[in-house]
Amino acid sequence: MTPSFPHLLSPLDVGPVTLRNRVVMGSMHTGLEDRARNTRRLAAFYAERARGGVGLIVTGGYAPNRTGWLLPFGAKLTNRFEARRHRAITAAVHDAGGRIALQILHAGRYSYQPLSVSASSIKAPINPFRPRRLTARGVRWQLRNFVRCATLAQSAGYDGVEIMGGEGYFINQFLCERTNRRRDEWGGTPEKRRRLAVEIVRRTRAAVGPDFLILFRLSMADLVEGGQTWDEIVALAQEIETAGANVINTDIGWHESRVPTIVTSVPRAAFVDVTEKLAKHVSIPVVASNRINMPEVAEEILERGAAQLISMARPMLADPDWVRKAEAGNSDEINTCIACNQACLDHAFANEHVSCLLNPRAGRETELTLLPTRRKKRVAVVGAGPAGLAAALNLAERGHAVTLFEARDDIGGQFAIARRIPGKEEFAETVRYYRRRLDRTGVDLRLGTRITAPELLDSRFAEVVVATGVTPRIPDIPGIDHPSVLSYADVVRDGAPVGRRVAVIGAGGIGVDVSEFLTHDHSPTLDLAAWKREWGVTDPEAAPGALTTPQPAPSPREVFLLQRSPGRIGAGLAKTTGWVHRATLKAKGVQEISGVTYDRVDDAGLHITVDGRSRLLAVDTVVVCAGQESVRDLVDELTVAGMPTHVIGGADVAAELDAKRAIEQGTRLAARI
Ligand code: FAD
Ligand code: NAP
Ligand code: SF4
């Protein structure tokens, strides 16, 4: 028994199998499922997580037929030929000591293609394709396809299947009056709406026999109007258990919900109380899910009996050795998922393969390898922002002797500014991870050292990595040196005082973040009750769908967010998180103005022209978030002197820089030296 996390790391008998611990790697669609040629990569991806100690892996979703595709020609499991390919995956996981279940996912009206079907012909607000209403015969055909998919998974060597019954997908669409207006045996009353879900489980159990796991992903809070009542959810869970499921997994919110459920501003374990409430009504194990990313959080949930298993999907992308590190009592060495979505869900929605901002090897295990070096070198890395940190740590892990110079008195660079934005507190975990791992790998970290080119040349390093990052751009506006003008770094990092009326120049990612910073009251931690009030989330027993009226806390300041370009503010923000930022700014009353010309700053405030008309914004403070410029002052001198020099991150290119690019560039360079 491990002293640190005794509940998390204890085995659990689940129906026919014994899981070695309570960690379930939740289903993630990586994009590798969609093409047969990527099977080897997918097997390597899962095997690495199995070697890392995960108790049970759930694959990305496979459709039981073409009508259930997420995307045209997406992943499906419908015949023996396809099933045979899966043997490479199940064998790789079993050889690594793991267990794996295949998720059966029918997208229903979320299927992004003209063949989509659903309980009723009601278009989803997030999909241009209107689904065809299934006939009663059509429903029975779908049911048989679910069962066929499960038996094929069994023949391919999987330990079980997870039937996706939540997230607003096909089965969930049958469960809710919002999307099921049928009056036949598949709709009209809660019992009839539940019938499809229950029949799928019952007939699957009959087909696969007792020695095969069946998990059911159950929507415990739909977070949409017209969602299920609590009584309906409890009845469904009980009927699913009776029908033969071994485990009930938590699902929260439909894709079309107005409430965020997994982005970084959602407090950790925000929905565990719902799982705990449901667990009291069934006797099979229940899995807690959503925004659980560290062993301490998982252990607390299990210890108080709120759930018997913990599902984590993205945390296993960020760190495949998550479980091993918890077992060794080294949770402070875990590369903690910061719930940014930038390389996982945002990639999935852009139809790109999923990876991780923090761990660019995720999904590329066969391609991006970091083997021990055969020729140890003395390497200097200049700059401890994300690019320099990734390069320094990976070089040291490969066996090089690394000296890391940082001008400031702590590591993190611009990322250390990001962590001060409300809702981005998780970013501090990345700084903690690097601090700890640099220490463990023996990187010679020189803080408070603004190193110069002559000093680097004198020290006779074999190679130098320049990761000196970026500095805020100061736009050429008359009066920009007025005392009321501050940079985002002055405000967020250095705590410069800001007045009650503020204009923010520049509405990119940082302008939006700074506007959030200025409109929040800065409570020390993410307060779950306040977050629920802000987004209008209530006890599912109090209202169907668990929704109530949002009550955002008022902003302490009046904020104007400005950009020169025409069009919507925040249009360039990421798909899965941009809408959350836009909703927050709206709720805080931020006034957004596009198509602005900045005329001057003076004692009266910021003078602008919009649509040919001059306007004065009588603000106390102007915060500049007008992009950045590369810091490259070392590069020429080093290169001219013949020093092998590599330039990465913002020092390389400032435009469209983010931590994803910085870390990937640092990691790929470290793999080459
Ligand atoms: P930097 O982070 O700029 O690091 C460079 C480092 O080099 C600095 O620490 C600097 O002190 C040091 N240095 C410079 N010259 C020397 C020298 N001569 N000697 C020693 N040290 C030196 N990105 C995302 O991907 N997602 C986000 O959500 C996100 N949010 C953000 C929010 C805010 C408010 C801000 C400011 C940034 C955000 N970013 C985000 C951007 C991200 O932080 C940057 O893209 C990233 O930090 C760039 O990494 P870098 O290592 O290239 O440079
Ligand atoms: P950015 O996204 O390039 O935005 C810069 C803003 O400044 C734009 O609104 C631009 O719009 C304006 N601007 C540019 N030059 C200007 C000038 N000379 N005068 C006045 N305004 C000017 O850059 P950023 O906001 O600084 O963000 C930097 C990087 O960090 C981004 O690339 C982003 O990827 C990353 N980041 C990501 C997130 C995230 O959540 N993923 C959050 C924060 C930052 P106009 O030209 O229209 O005025
Ligand atoms: Fe987590 Fe961000 Fe990595 Fe996705 S990209 S796994 S959200 S850290």
Side-chain angles (χ1 to χ4, degrees):
M1 190 67 70
T2 307
S4 315
F5 307 109
H7 297 86
L8 181 64
L9 300 172
S10 66
L12 181 71
D13 292 329
V14 184
V17 305
T18 302
L19 301 179
R20 56 183 162 177
N21 56 51
R22 308 302 180 93
V23 178
V24 177
M25 174 170 141
S27 175
M28 276 177 291
H29 191 77
T30 64
L32 297 173
E33 301 82 358
D34 297 338
R35 299 286 170 268
R37 63 173 180 267
N38 292 323
T39 304
R40 201 174 66 84
R41 280 178 65 184
L42 193 56
F45 167 73
Y46 288 135
E48 186 150 323
R49 274 81 197 156
R51 272 193 300 278
V54 170
L56 175 68
I57 292 170
V58 182
T59 68
Y62 286 83
N65 58 44
R66 288 190 305 164
T67 67
W69 271 337
L70 272 173
L71 292 165
F73 306 102
K76 66 178 177 63
L77 179 56
T78 56
N79 56 52
R80 279 202 222 140
F81 179 70
E82 288 167 347
R84 212 173 305 139
R85 281 204 307 265
H86 285 258
R87 290 210 156 269
I89 293 172
T90 53
V93 171
H94 292 150
D95 287 351
R99 292 197 176 271
I100 185 162
L102 176 129
Q103 189 187 69
I104 308 177
L105 186 157
H106 190 306
R109 71 177 194 153
Y110 284 164
S111 180
Y112 210 80
Q113 49 131 354
L115 299 178
S116 65
V117 295
S118 187
S120 300
S121 182
I122 303 172
K123 204 177 83 59
I126 55 171
N127 190 346
F129 298 101
R130 178 178 290 279
R132 181 171 56 82
R133 177 191 183 277
L134 285 167
T135 61
R137 201 162 147 231
V139 178
R140 285 192 289 275
W141 181 76
Q142 295 285 345
L143 218 168
R144 287 196 296 278
N145 286 186
F146 272 87
V147 177
R148 179 185 63 190
C149 189
T151 55
L152 287 168
Q154 190 176 31
S155 74
Y158 283 99
D159 298 288
V161 287
E162 176 173 87
I163 295 164
M164 171 45 113
E167 216 100 332
Y169 288 121
F170 183 68
I171 294 176
N172 212 175
Q173 289 157 27
F174 271 78
L175 290 167
C176 293
E177 208 165 11
R178 175 185 180 84
T179 39
N180 183 348
R181 307 283 165 78
R182 305 176 73 98
R183 292 291 175 266
D184 60 1
E185 67 263 46
W186 305 104
T189 65
E191 293 74 21
K192 290 180 179 174
R193 289 198 293 272
R194 289 198 293 275
R195 192 170 160 214
L196 176 69
V198 177
E199 280 297 292
I200 288 173
V201 176
R202 196 179 62 76
R203 294 202 206 173
T204 300
R205 175 55 73 207
V208 296
D211 298 330
F212 193 62
L213 262 182
I214 298 180
L215 298 91
F216 188 87
R217 191 104 193 253
L218 190 144
S219 181
M220 298 187 192
D222 291 317
L223 299 180
V224 287
E225 282 78 20
Q228 298 165 90
T229 65
W230 184 244
D231 288 348
E232 289 169 21
I233 292 166
V234 170
L236 175 65
Q238 290 171 337
E239 289 169 25
I240 291 291
E241 176 176 359
T242 309
N246 304 106
V247 178
I248 289 180
N249 193 356
T250 301
D251 188 83
I252 302 289
W254 290 33
H255 282 307
E256 67 205 61
S257 170
R258 63 161 169 80
V259 180
T261 54
I262 59 166
V263 301
T264 189
S265 56
V266 176
R268 286 181 178 181
F271 298 99
V272 168
D273 51 349
V274 184
T275 308
E276 185 171 16
K277 203 176 168 82
L278 187 88
K280 297 191 176 91
H281 297 276
V282 290
S283 53
I284 52 177
V286 171
V287 191
S289 169
N290 287 48
R291 288 288 287 119
I292 303 168
N293 58 356
M294 286 300 275
E296 292 76 6
V297 183
E299 180 68 15
E300 192 275 327
I301 294 166
L302 296 169
E303 189 177 5
R304 74 179 148 100
Q308 289 71 48
L309 290 157
I310 305 290
S311 172
M312 286 166 286
R314 297 171 301 168
M316 300 303 145
L317 283 177
D319 196 334
D321 290 326
W322 193 101
V323 178
R324 291 274 173 255
K325 290 176 182 175
E327 279 169 353
N330 295 333
S331 68
D332 59 352
E333 291 188 44
I334 288 176
N335 199 359
T336 308
C337 166
I338 56 173
C340 67
N341 285 356
Q342 284 176 243
C344 52
L345 273 183
D346 284 334
H347 279 207
F349 277 91
N351 218 355
E352 292 168 30
H353 291 159
V354 159
S355 187
C356 173
L357 172 139
L358 300 173
N359 171 25
R361 286 195 69 245
R364 300 163 179 150
E365 285 77 9
T366 54
E367 172 227 333
L368 178 50
T369 48
L370 290 151
L371 300 173
T373 180
R374 284 198 229 122
R375 249 183 70 212
K376 182 173 175 171
K377 291 183 182 172
R378 283 187 69 234
V379 185
V381 179
V382 186
L389 289 167
L393 179 57
N394 284 300
L395 283 166
E397 284 179 344
R398 291 192 54 224
H400 291 297
V402 182
T403 307
L404 174 58
F405 298 98
E406 170 51 52
R408 301 192 68 83
D409 55 10
D410 200 1
I411 62 169
Q414 299 267 309
F415 222 55
I417 307 181
R419 75 185 169 88
R420 295 174 194 271
I421 302 295
K424 283 195 169 175
E425 291 83 354
E426 288 281 8
F427 286 41
E429 296 286 359
T430 306
V431 178
R432 181 266 307 148
Y433 162 77
Y434 276 111
R435 194 179 292 124
R436 184 81 185 105
R437 289 294 301 154
L438 292 178
D439 187 39
R440 285 298 289 260
T441 50
V443 170
D444 180 7
L445 175 61
R446 310 271 181 90
L447 292 174
T449 309
R450 181 171 290 281
I451 195 84
T452 62
E455 288 167 334
L456 285 165
L457 293 168
D458 281 353
S459 304
R460 304 198 174 283
F461 289 102
E463 307 200 19
V464 175
V465 178
V466 176
T468 44
V470 287
T471 187
R473 175 185 292 131
I474 309 297
D476 187 14
I477 301 170
I480 197 74
D481 51 358
H482 190 273
S484 64
V485 180
L486 299 170
S487 78
Y488 64 80
D490 297 331
V491 173
V492 183
R493 185 187 61 204
D494 303 334
V498 177
R500 229 197 51 76
R501 285 168 60 88
V502 191
V504 177
I505 290 184
I510 292 179
V512 167
D513 272 358
V514 166
S515 300
E516 294 221 16
F517 181 88
L518 296 169
T519 52
H520 280 72
D521 67 355
H522 300 281
S523 8
T525 52
L526 289 177
D527 174 348
L528 181 56
W531 180 86
K532 284 189 174 178
R533 271 196 307 279
E534 191 113 13
W535 289 97
V537 177
T538 186
D539 180 346
E541 205 164 353
L547 287 183
T548 181
T549 311
Q551 292 176 296
S555 165
R557 295 192 182 83
E558 188 180 0
V559 174
F560 299 88
L561 178 57
L562 315 172
Q563 69 178 20
R564 297 174 304 177
S565 332
R568 193 169 61 141
I569 294 261
L573 295 177
K575 174 103 177 163
T576 65
T577 49
W579 68 274
V580 183
H581 290 299
R582 282 192 294 273
T584 308
L585 296 187
K586 191 170 170 205
K588 295 289 184 182
V590 171
Q591 298 174 56
E592 304 175 350
I593 312 178
S594 306
V596 170
T597 304
Y598 303 108
D599 298 326
R600 66 182 187 284
V601 185
D602 59 21
D603 290 348
L606 175 63
H607 300 260
I608 58 174
T609 301
V610 188
D611 294 332
R613 276 203 297 272
S614 300
R615 189 172 162 192
L616 168 65
L617 301 179
V619 293
D620 313 303
T621 309
V622 176
V623 185
V624 178
C625 306
Q628 292 117 0
E629 280 156 10
S630 296
V631 177
R632 303 174 53 93
D633 42 353
L634 298 174
V635 180
D636 288 348
E637 224 175 313
L638 291 173
T639 318
V640 168
M643 169 63 76
T645 303
H646 312 270
V647 189
I648 56 171
D652 179 25
V653 180
E656 294 181 17
L657 169 71
D658 61 6
K660 181 175 78 170
R661 170 159 53 91
I663 290 175
E664 183 170 350
Q665 233 182 333
T667 309
R668 286 192 181 275
L669 174 67
R672 283 202 310 273
I673 290 181

